[in-house]
Amino acid sequence: MRKPALRALLVSRTMASLDHVDLELLAALSEDPRTTVVALAERLRLSRNTVQARMARLDKTGVFRSFERSISTTALGFPLEAFIAIGVRQVELPRITGELAGVPEVVQVHGMSGQTDLLALVACRDARHLFDVDARILGIEGVERTETSLVMSEAVPYRVSGLMELARREP
């Protein structure tokens, strides 16, 4: 089984086993991602060891997506963001995905169903840079086509607080 598929399986199994304490812990972390274990323990009225053990279990089972800080691409000098829809020869998908991971301007890639096989979020300095990045992606063996859409704004940022609230309400 591929790692992403295994991770998805672990997460789906974990979601069924999240109890109200896990959900409260996740809600507290969502509100203040930089909070300490001691502060979480005090807030949730749990021991520090309990919080640490739960955090370790949640991490091991794939509940946490990343501990990497979300950094503005604009602050790094790459203010132009775009989504590039990529069509590929299916048999070469794993290798192509690996090559995309090696392109520094590629911030994120999702596998898709439908007409688009992969959807890449890229960050570039300007339109010329974006053109060059698209050409590099098209130059990957097995990539058949791309379609680029500029990001005009982030209308709704990534969030899970609403889902956590739903999970906390359901038995």
Side-chain angles (χ1 to χ4, degrees):
M1 187 179 295
R2 293 184 350 232
K3 282 188 179 183
L6 178 60
R7 182 177 170 91
L9 180 62
L10 284 172
V11 170
S12 69
R13 286 184 181 164
T14 301
M15 296 313 293
S17 65
L18 292 178
D19 63 18
H20 77 283
V21 175
D22 291 330
L23 292 169
E24 292 299 322
L25 176 60
L26 292 172
L29 284 169
S30 180
E31 288 173 23
D32 184 5
R34 296 190 298 182
T35 193
T36 66
V37 171
V38 172
L40 287 168
E42 287 175 8
R43 178 177 175 172
L44 300 175
R45 298 172 200 225
L46 299 169
S47 74
R48 181 181 56 80
N49 288 342
T50 298
V51 171
Q52 283 181 315
R54 283 180 179 260
M55 296 268 296
R57 181 179 53 82
L58 292 169
D59 186 33
K60 183 178 179 181
T61 56
V63 172
F64 298 119
R65 294 183 75 189
S66 172
F67 287 104
E68 181 178 298
R69 280 240 196 252
S70 181
I71 299 169
S72 165
T73 57
T74 300
L76 296 173
F78 301 90
L80 183 64
E81 290 185 329
F83 285 99
I84 300 180
I86 306 167
V88 303
R89 287 194 299 262
Q90 290 296 309
V91 296
E92 299 188 60
L93 187 61
R95 183 189 50 74
I96 293 168
T97 303
E99 287 195 43
L100 288 170
V103 177
E105 295 90 349
V106 172
V107 177
Q108 191 174 36
V109 178
H110 291 277
M112 307 294 287
S113 64
Q115 297 285 10
T116 298
D117 298 309
L118 298 169
L119 185 63
L121 174 62
V122 300
C124 299
R125 294 189 191 284
D126 53 34
R128 180 68 203 175
H129 187 193
L130 175 58
F131 182 80
D132 293 342
V133 169
D134 185 61
R136 275 191 279 154
I137 291 172
L138 274 169
I140 296 171
E141 180 68 31
V143 171
E144 296 178 332
R145 68 190 176 290
T146 64
E147 183 178 326
T148 302
S149 300
L150 294 178
V151 172
M152 303 306 284
S153 70
E154 182 178 66
V156 178
Y158 179 84
R159 64 205 173 99
V160 293
S161 57
L163 294 174
M164 285 192 301
E165 187 57 38
L166 286 174
R168 286 164 44 188
R169 278 192 254 149
E170 295 175 6

